[in-house]
Amino acid sequence: MKIIAIVTARLTSTRLPGKTLKPILGIPMIELLIKRLSFSKKIDQIIVAIPKNKKNNKLNSFLNKKNY
């Protein structure tokens, strides 16, 4: 059986807009999460699901640049 982790992310949060790209020790939160998930021996694939709209283009570009 294949185990897939689906991470939902968006930049349009009302309480903390752009949260997914806010840095923690210089690394965007979404990147930290993906790196931590990649250490799991039980997860075969990680998928990042983002809404398809112009407000999330920056997040989409970041993920594509990092080959996620």
Side-chain angles (χ1 to χ4, degrees):
M1 177 177 13
K2 188 174 183 179
I3 305 293
I4 299 172
I6 300 174
V7 177
T8 59
R10 61 188 174 97
L11 293 177
T12 57
S13 171
T14 54
R15 290 180 287 161
L16 185 57
K19 174 174 58 179
T20 56
L21 291 178
K22 297 257 187 232
I24 296 177
L25 299 174
I27 301 170
M29 284 191 213
I30 190 74
E31 188 171 1
L32 283 174
L33 176 63
I34 293 169
K35 283 183 179 184
R36 288 177 181 174
L37 284 172
S38 70
F39 290 131
S40 173
K41 293 180 175 126
K42 295 185 178 192
I43 297 173
D44 298 308
Q45 184 179 5
I46 301 168
I47 295 173
V48 181
I50 61 173
K52 195 172 187 178
N53 60 38
K54 290 182 182 182
K55 294 177 182 177
N56 290 301
N57 283 348
K58 187 175 179 181
L59 177 57
N60 190 34
S61 295
F62 174 79
L63 294 169
N64 284 330
K65 181 179 168 186
K66 294 287 185 170
N67 292 321
Y68 293 136

